[in-house]
Amino acid sequence: MATAAAAAAAAAAAAAVVATPTGHAVAAEAAGQTILAGPPPTPGGLGGTGLGSRLAASETGTEHTPRGPKPAAGPRVVSEESPGFLLSPQGEYSLHPISQTVSGFLPRGSPHSSHFLRVSGILRATDLSTFRSHLPLTKTRQAKEEESEEKLLSPAPLQDHREASLQATLLGLVTLNKAYPEVLTPGSTACVTPTSPWPNSVPWLRHALGRVSPLGAKDSQTLLLEALISPGLRALEARTAVELLDVFVGLEADGKEMAEAIAAGNLGTPLPSRAAELQEALEQGPRGLALRLWPKLQVVVTLDAGGQAEAVAALRALWCQGLAFFSPAYAASGGVMALNLWPEQPQGFYLLPPGVPFIELLPVKEGTQEEAASTLLLTDVQREEEYELVLTDHAGLTRCRLGDVVRVVGAYNQCPVVSFTGRLGQTLSVRGEVTDENIFSAALAKAVGQWPGAKLLDHACVESSILDPCDGSAPHYEVFMELRGLRNLSEENRDKLDHCLKEVSPHYKSLRLRGSVSPAKVHLVRPGSFRVLREALAACPSSSFPPEMPRVLRLGHLAKLLQKRVMS
């Protein structure tokens, strides 16, 4: 389904690809060029060698036979609500905007639109080669960033996929209600960030969730104050886990002032007893703080995305100890990618649904992208294999490799169930090695586990050439981290990260033994430094945050922002 703007641009310019409601392809002529309308459908059958090999049945011939009741008299719009196609080859039709995301066809001469197309043929639904030839894969967003810091390209825009986001929200509410029915009672939920974790913030969402206050133009501190004066909360919401981490770190830093504001009644009635409870809870330290503040709290709701796992681990271990975590969906810069129907699964299993956005899967071998490999449809994937997500952007008419990698763990109602394993763009390479996000995170976690009393809250990596390209030393990794429980690192402890990297990466070990790479340099930053970084990321046009949190920084000004806040 193309937007009206995209359809007009296609009719006036070069060939492009848009989606038809049923997924069948329609070849049309406009301005002397051929337009292919409609990427192949996500097939409905599952079974055979992969998750499934039976494609959805497609009609033969050049015309689609209408299905369903006989249409009413008057012009017929081919739309998502139509029971079938009435388009005929060589017929002339005008584009009719049905909504912001759907366009249909009317016979030429209709007063509703001046953009007309000539249908030159109807392609079979399984004509993948035509679809792929018209829309070649584009580079991942991270690769674009690396090309030029001065000429950054914006990430794939967050599409107005209202159907997908609404579906994720509704299914998420049903799932949450089944697992924690008391969460939806009035006054049981508070969101402590200006933006909700629910993909579609429909007007009735506040009432459905029983929020203590409406979302609006409020800062996180005001929202937190409103949550603090409500001791009966059962669910705590934040857009992402890293933003919730910032909220709790800020609460510890500004707890005294917030208690004074509650006692003075800055939000209404003075509540000195509640202010005293807040101060007492803070004095006992971060571990289990959320349950001390809200004894009835059951679940924390955040939106899952790349780079959030570290924050979830820190919240589970400290402030939100003993609480369940739930994400209604997995999101990327292209929108909602997958749905969460299993809140009891701590591993984070998600369902890849058919429909909009149109998703393909590119096989990943040995941590790299297979350039010659063809993308697969949802039904063609194999269990226990890893794939990179490929998103068709219906507004910009592009197919973009997102860099997000999933492992197929099963199937549900003929759709793949996946777990997200990493991001291909989040790799370090100073001498041709490939230290991906998972390898580095494993080494870092192992090293931090050897630092007595230390708990990792946040980290980011930078290749040394980005910070100082004229440095005469061998290239190396610069690692910035925020820790809890440790304010200074000995040289012996700093060296443990280098030892752990050599243990998990044979290529890195080989480079270190030859002296081609210097040991990784570890820097501790002041509390709140990553909150400042996230504010800078949110203001950067090329950034994928929110919702994704980068762990490898490619831009010099972002790396120097952390460098200025080093305390050890």
Side-chain angles (χ1 to χ4, degrees):
M1 290 159 284
T3 62
V17 175
V18 292
T20 57
T22 65
H24 289 281
V26 179
E29 298 172 357
Q33 309 234 2
T34 297
I35 293 178
L36 178 67
T42 304
L46 286 171
T49 56
L51 285 183
S53 59
R54 181 174 61 85
L55 296 176
S58 61
E59 293 85 354
T60 60
T62 58
E63 292 192 16
H64 292 273
T65 303
R67 299 179 298 275
K70 184 178 180 179
R76 174 71 176 280
V77 179
V78 178
S79 70
E80 193 167 27
E81 292 75 21
S82 301
F85 278 95
L86 288 180
L87 296 181
S88 299
Q90 306 308 318
E92 294 182 351
Y93 299 87
S94 61
L95 284 169
H96 173 64
I98 298 169
S99 69
Q100 290 186 348
T101 58
V102 180
S103 290
F105 296 89
L106 285 171
R108 187 181 181 186
S110 169
H112 298 286
S113 175
S114 60
H115 306 291
F116 89 94
L117 302 173
R118 180 189 301 275
V119 175
S120 56
I122 299 177
L123 305 178
R124 295 183 60 136
T126 54
D127 191 359
L128 293 174
S129 60
T130 306
F131 169 62
R132 289 167 176 155
S133 66
H134 279 74
L135 282 185
L137 291 178
T138 60
K139 292 182 179 179
T140 60
R141 176 178 55 257
Q142 293 84 356
K144 292 177 181 177
E145 290 181 4
E146 293 176 35
E147 289 181 355
S148 172
E149 182 173 342
E150 302 300 326
K151 298 179 180 179
L152 289 174
L153 298 178
S154 297
L158 186 61
Q159 300 304 320
D160 188 17
H161 292 150
R162 297 184 179 180
E163 296 87 351
S165 61
L166 182 59
Q167 180 188 43
T169 299
L170 293 177
L171 287 176
L173 286 172
V174 171
T175 302
L176 186 66
N177 184 53
K178 286 182 178 179
Y180 310 99
E182 295 176 322
V183 163
L184 301 186
T185 57
S188 296
T189 302
C191 187
V192 293
T193 55
T195 304
S196 164
W198 299 94
N200 192 317
S201 295
V202 288
W204 46 261
L205 189 58
R206 173 203 170 195
H207 303 286
L209 289 168
R211 285 203 181 111
V212 297
S213 65
L215 288 175
K218 298 181 181 179
D219 58 83
S220 293
Q221 190 173 55
T222 301
L223 291 169
L224 179 59
L225 276 173
E226 292 176 341
L228 289 172
I229 63 177
S230 305
L233 293 183
R234 296 183 183 274
L236 190 66
E237 295 180 354
R239 174 168 52 181
T240 61
V242 294
E243 291 169 282
L244 183 59
L245 182 66
D246 292 338
V247 168
F248 276 110
V249 171
L251 175 59
E252 289 186 306
D254 305 325
K256 182 178 179 181
E257 291 79 2
M258 300 191 82
E260 292 173 352
I262 292 172
N266 287 9
L267 295 181
T269 306
L271 299 171
S273 60
R274 182 58 179 166
E277 291 173 359
L278 171 59
Q279 289 183 315
E280 182 181 355
L282 289 170
E283 288 171 0
Q284 297 178 46
R287 199 175 299 274
L289 175 61
L291 278 175
R292 291 197 300 273
L293 293 173
W294 303 287
K296 296 181 180 180
L297 199 62
Q298 295 177 285
V299 62
V300 175
V301 182
T302 60
L303 184 62
D304 199 3
Q308 301 291 331
E310 197 167 272
V312 172
L315 290 166
R316 285 183 185 274
L318 295 173
W319 300 275
C320 299
Q321 189 179 67
L323 293 172
F325 277 70
F326 173 71
S327 170
Y330 190 96
S333 59
V336 173
M337 296 292 107
L339 309 177
N340 184 1
L341 305 182
W342 305 279
E344 70 282 358
Q345 292 286 348
Q347 299 90 345
F349 292 159
Y350 294 92
L351 180 76
L352 283 180
V356 178
F358 181 69
I359 297 174
E360 300 167 87
L361 297 148
L362 184 66
V364 174
K365 302 295 182 183
E366 299 181 357
T368 62
Q369 293 149 306
E370 287 286 306
E371 295 293 343
S374 295
T375 56
L376 302 176
L377 298 179
L378 296 184
T379 53
D380 297 330
V381 297
Q382 301 282 342
R383 285 183 176 88
E384 303 306 321
E385 294 294 331
E386 291 192 344
Y387 302 91
E388 180 188 0
L389 294 183
V390 175
L391 176 69
T392 296
D393 171 11
H394 296 285
L397 303 174
T398 58
R399 290 168 71 223
C400 183
R401 288 165 24 187
L402 296 182
D404 295 75
V405 177
V406 301
R407 180 187 297 276
V408 179
V409 298
Y412 178 80
N413 279 358
Q414 302 182 334
C415 295
V417 177
V418 301
S419 62
F420 285 76
T421 62
R423 295 170 291 174
L424 293 176
Q426 297 293 295
T427 58
L428 292 164
S429 179
V430 294
R431 284 291 191 194
E433 81 288 3
V434 177
T435 305
D436 66 29
E437 186 175 18
N438 292 335
I439 291 176
F440 187 87
S441 295
L444 182 59
K446 188 174 182 179
V448 173
Q450 300 176 42
W451 300 341
K455 178 61 186 176
L456 179 65
L457 301 187
D458 242 324
H459 89 274
C461 303
V462 183
E463 294 166 2
S464 58
S465 60
I466 292 176
L467 275 175
D468 189 359
C470 300
D471 186 4
S473 63
H476 56 274
Y477 306 156
E478 300 273 356
V479 185
F480 301 90
M481 60 179 67
E482 186 174 333
L483 297 178
R484 177 56 58 98
L486 195 62
R487 295 185 60 85
N488 196 9
L489 276 179
S490 65
E491 288 302 318
E492 180 183 358
N493 279 335
R494 293 176 195 269
D495 290 340
K496 288 179 180 177
L497 175 59
D498 188 65
H499 293 311
C500 291
L501 279 170
K502 288 188 284 189
E503 290 177 3
V504 300
S505 174
H507 196 174
Y508 178 85
K509 180 179 180 180
S510 174
L511 292 171
R512 286 284 294 112
L513 291 175
R514 297 201 304 266
S516 301
V517 173
S518 293
K521 294 185 179 180
V522 179
H523 311 282
L524 299 188
V525 297
R526 298 192 297 270
S529 296
F530 280 87
R531 175 182 57 79
V532 177
L533 173 64
R534 280 187 270 277
E535 291 173 354
L537 284 168
C540 184
S542 66
S543 173
S544 59
F545 178 82
E548 299 179 65
M549 180 62 195
R551 295 300 173 190
V552 177
L553 301 180
R554 308 291 186 191
L555 306 182
H557 73 279
L558 294 176
K560 290 174 182 176
L561 186 150
L562 288 179
Q563 190 179 43
K564 293 176 182 177
R565 288 165 172 77
V566 170
M567 66 178 187
S568 172

